[in-house]
Amino acid sequence: MADVSQLMQEWSKVISSIDATKGSEQLLNTLASLKVPGVNMDALVASQRDNLEALSASNRAALEGMKAVGAWQVKLMQETMRELTSAIGGLASAGSPQQLVWAESELARKAFATAVSQMQELTAIVVNANQQATAAIAKRLPESVGEIGDVLKLPQSPTKS
């Protein structure tokens, strides 16, 4: 069991070390040095930098969700092994065939209730991770669309009072 937990920790360290913004910085700097008529390159680069940061935030939230699912799976495996050991001991001590059938049906009932509860718990973990991952993108999208006028050097329209 410790091996699985250690493997999950190492895997999450590798995944969390990936940063999309690092490799993109050089590309953004090159883009900023270009001169394109009618395009405010500084505004374009700033907008794209903000987009990359939103993407990075979304990726971090997704990673946290994956870590939570992994931790949940390790916990579930440990609980299952404990319950299985206990159940086998309980069945071995059943006396008559009727008691054995009753013990088996009770185990099946508990297993079903546990499975439903665990699926609800997993669903909550995944839903939460998805909401957090999409929140950064959903927040950034209208901002990015609003920056198009700055990038294309469009004149500001007068505000209505």
Side-chain angles (χ1 to χ4, degrees):
M1 204 62 61
D3 293 335
V4 173
S5 180
Q6 181 66 28
L7 182 63
M8 290 296 294
Q9 289 175 355
E10 290 174 12
W11 179 77
S12 69
K13 285 179 188 175
V14 169
I15 296 297
S16 61
S17 70
I18 298 171
D19 184 2
T21 58
K22 288 180 183 175
S24 303
E25 195 60 37
Q26 185 177 7
L27 177 62
L28 289 175
N29 290 337
T30 302
L31 188 62
S33 68
L34 297 176
K35 302 294 181 218
V36 179
V39 176
N40 180 342
M41 296 307 285
D42 291 335
L44 176 64
V45 168
S47 176
Q48 294 308 308
R49 186 171 281 120
D50 291 345
N51 289 343
L52 286 170
E53 180 52 41
L55 181 61
S56 183
S58 178
N59 287 340
R60 284 190 301 273
L63 174 65
E64 289 303 315
M66 290 184 343
K67 285 177 167 178
V69 168
W72 177 82
Q73 288 174 329
V74 168
K75 179 188 93 166
L76 179 63
M77 185 182 298
Q78 291 169 340
E79 288 175 4
T80 301
M81 294 307 290
R82 280 192 301 272
E83 290 173 10
L84 182 60
T85 302
S86 174
I88 290 171
L91 287 176
S93 67
S96 69
Q98 293 87 352
Q99 289 173 325
L100 181 60
V101 169
W102 180 85
E104 288 174 343
S105 64
E106 188 63 18
L107 281 174
R109 183 192 64 75
K110 286 180 182 177
F112 181 74
T114 299
V116 169
S117 172
Q118 290 167 342
M119 291 311 298
Q120 290 172 333
E121 186 179 343
L122 177 60
T123 299
I125 291 169
V126 171
V127 165
N128 184 44
N130 286 340
Q131 287 174 339
Q132 289 179 3
T134 57
I137 301 296
K139 179 181 180 291
R140 177 67 192 135
L141 190 59
E143 294 169 354
S144 183
V145 170
E147 293 165 353
I148 291 174
D150 293 337
V151 170
L152 298 177
K153 296 182 180 179
L154 297 175
Q156 298 294 321
S157 60
T159 57
K160 295 179 183 177
S161 310

